[in-house]
Amino acid sequence: MSLPATITVEESAGITFLNVENAFASSRISLYGAHVLSFTPKTDNQNRLWLSPHAYLNGERPIRGGIPICWPWFSDDHGEEKGTLPSHGFLRTQVWQIQLTEETEAGTRIVLSPSYSRGEGFEYDCTVSYDILVGKQLSVTLRTQNSGVVPFTFNGALHTYFAVPDITQTSIMGIEGDYKDKLESWAVKPSPTHYIIEGETDRIHQHPSPDVTIADNNIPLTRVTSMGNDSMVVWNPWQGAASIADMDAFGFKHMLCVETAITNGITLAPGQDHLMTQIVAGL
Ligand code: TA6
């Protein structure tokens, strides 16, 4: 396949990476997991995505950082005993294929498809694709289409790790409604009005929160626009990062996951499809 001049291919440790460099931004994408690893707009040359320095970039484990794709379930919500099926599903640990690349006025577009979308824990016929646009903004859309003859229900997330200069100076605007707190047996609590991160945080906000801003020292840094989701997940492991193999003890200081998520199930009848989009913009 011939690629636009804005995309170069790099092979390393068994993974194929697509490096995008255009007039608007640069971005690195791993075909393992269809994982966007970086997005650096030209306006300020600040990478908006965080990638762990200890991330496995050899296909042995899901990649810690960037935008992991969670599907067809979120976390361990697969209906089986915890640990029997992979956390966050099976798209983030497979090699994806390039379906299309094109240069458009808005930027460089890449469409990827997974090797398989029917797997243990999800025995349905469907077609999945991932549409990435690297432009002034980074736009990613996960499309799920029911290509079978029975309805199915799925969950998922665009589990983005945002880069923040200092988590203790970071605030989030635009998240509303109640959240379920994973750290307190899913107790339901109201979202903070002044949203800062002061310790381990693992929350499923029960509101789609379509327009979220991440600020550093009260100065807006990154805008996160979401569509097709029913919830927003906020995660930072804080000092628990020390016990995560592919993070270092201080990694939590420079990342914040704000995840465009489906956690209450989307049901698709045969022939129906669903789009979930996240748009990341530097401010
Ligand atoms: O999205 C939050 C979460 O589900 C947390 O509970 C935490 O475990 C995180 O994802 C990371 O999951 P992973 O399977 O990538 O280690």
Side-chain angles (χ1 to χ4, degrees):
M1 175 184 290
S2 80
L3 300 174
T6 49
I7 302 177
T8 50
V9 179
E10 181 197 333
E11 306 282 346
S12 169
I15 295 192
T16 304
F17 297 94
L18 304 180
N19 293 317
V20 179
E21 183 75 52
N22 62 29
F24 307 108
S26 61
S27 178
R28 191 157 189 250
I29 298 157
S30 155
L31 291 189
Y32 174 73
H35 208 117
V36 181
L37 302 172
S38 69
F39 171 64
T40 308
K42 298 275 186 220
T43 42
D44 62 5
N45 280 318
Q46 258 185 282
N47 185 1
R48 290 319 198 268
L49 305 183
W50 179 86
L51 177 65
S52 171
H54 302 294
Y56 287 80
L57 293 174
N58 57 8
E60 275 180 21
R61 292 195 191 188
I63 298 172
R64 176 80 56 202
I67 313 183
I69 302 175
C70 309
W71 186 97
W73 55 82
F74 179 73
S75 187
D76 292 308
D77 189 14
H78 40 59
E80 303 291 325
E81 202 179 318
K82 188 177 175 204
T84 50
L85 292 170
S87 163
H88 292 317
F90 49 77
L91 290 188
R92 65 176 181 161
T93 49
Q94 56 174 287
V95 177
W96 291 54
Q97 272 82 47
I98 302 174
Q99 291 304 329
L100 178 150
T101 55
E102 63 174 346
E103 211 46 42
T104 73
E105 273 185 16
T108 308
R109 182 169 170 233
I110 298 169
V111 182
L112 304 174
S113 62
S115 308
Y116 59 94
S117 52
R118 183 189 176 110
E120 203 188 338
F122 190 78
E123 306 286 348
Y124 298 101
D125 292 323
C126 66
T127 309
V128 170
S129 64
Y130 195 49
D131 203 320
I132 304 168
L133 182 70
V134 179
K136 246 188 352 206
Q137 308 171 329
L138 170 71
S139 169
V140 290
T141 297
L142 184 68
R143 176 169 186 254
T144 304
Q145 186 188 23
N146 186 339
S147 53
V149 292
V150 292
F152 62 72
T153 300
F154 69 100
N155 282 317
L158 301 166
H159 188 305
T160 310
Y161 289 71
F162 289 96
V164 296
D166 179 353
I167 192 69
T168 66
Q169 303 302 318
T170 301
S171 53
I172 313 171
M173 277 95 78
I175 293 193
E176 300 161 14
D178 289 343
Y179 69 86
K180 294 194 294 184
D181 193 341
K182 187 171 176 182
L183 305 176
E184 289 190 29
S185 311
W186 301 114
V188 177
K189 302 174 187 177
S191 297
T193 39
H194 177 55
Y195 205 140
I196 53 174
I197 310 292
E198 295 174 288
E200 188 180 356
T201 303
D202 201 345
R203 301 172 177 172
I204 300 181
H205 293 266
Q206 301 288 91
H207 187 272
S209 303
D211 189 1
V212 171
T213 297
I214 300 170
D216 171 46
N217 264 309
N218 296 320
I219 300 168
L221 177 68
T222 304
R223 184 173 182 190
V224 188
T225 309
S226 303
M227 286 165 268
N229 58 318
D230 62 23
S231 30
M232 196 60 96
V233 177
V234 175
W235 179 60
N236 183 295
W238 211 254
Q239 274 150 6
S243 60
I244 299 178
D246 48 4
M247 266 181 100
D248 63 45
F250 305 106
F252 74 93
K253 292 188 174 181
H254 303 295
M255 52 75 58
L256 176 64
C257 284
V258 177
E259 310 167 28
T260 299
I262 299 165
T263 62
N264 295 311
I266 296 273
T267 300
L268 293 181
Q272 276 188 325
D273 70 350
H274 177 81
L275 304 178
M276 177 164 66
T277 297
Q278 187 180 74
I279 301 169
V280 176
L283 293 172

